[in-house]
Amino acid sequence: MNSQGSGSSQRAITLVRVIYDEVNLALWALAVALLCYVVIFILPKMPEARMRAETLRAEQINAENEWYCRRWHMGPATEMHEQCIIDLQQLRTSVENRIAEESDI
């Protein structure tokens, strides 16, 4: 009876090893396929996506600047409009620089 139990336990261990090896191989194949997908489809589009994001951010900032200047009665038809926009840009730059410096600490 011991020899039969030992034989079936060996088969079970062999089966577990085979399943483990197959799953391991499948996971490695999936990792390689994912890497290929990223290299072929994602990476080439990243510069374009970055430029779209930067353009969108600039448009949003310009819209915010215009909104604040209009709110402070310095809209496009006023003499102070350009100075208002310049001041807001300087304010934004100084705040961004301060945040960047504080995050480096």
Side-chain angles (χ1 to χ4, degrees):
M1 186 128 170
N2 263 346
S3 65
Q4 287 179 345
S6 176
S8 71
S9 118
Q10 280 297 89
R11 281 192 299 260
I13 291 173
T14 302
L15 180 62
V16 167
R17 284 185 182 152
V18 168
I19 291 172
Y20 173 84
D21 289 341
E22 292 295 324
V23 169
N24 191 25
L25 181 62
L27 289 174
W28 276 109
L30 180 63
V32 169
L34 181 61
L35 180 64
C36 290
Y37 177 81
V38 168
V39 168
I40 293 170
F41 295 107
I42 304 296
L43 289 180
K45 295 179 182 178
M46 287 188 73
E48 179 185 331
R50 184 179 299 119
M51 286 188 61
R52 276 196 313 264
E54 289 174 3
T55 300
L56 179 61
R57 183 172 186 267
E59 290 171 357
Q60 290 171 338
I61 289 170
N62 288 336
E64 287 176 9
N65 289 347
E66 290 292 339
W67 183 82
Y68 277 111
C69 289
R70 277 194 308 274
R71 183 173 181 210
W72 296 328
H73 306 288
M74 291 182 255
T78 65
E79 294 177 17
M80 294 299 295
H81 181 259
E82 281 301 312
Q83 190 59 47
C84 177
I85 297 293
I86 290 169
D87 290 345
L88 285 173
Q89 289 170 343
Q90 288 174 343
L91 175 64
R92 183 179 301 274
T93 300
S94 68
V95 169
E96 288 173 350
N97 289 341
R98 189 175 308 124
I99 290 171
E101 288 172 2
E102 289 174 358
S103 67
D104 287 342
I105 295 176

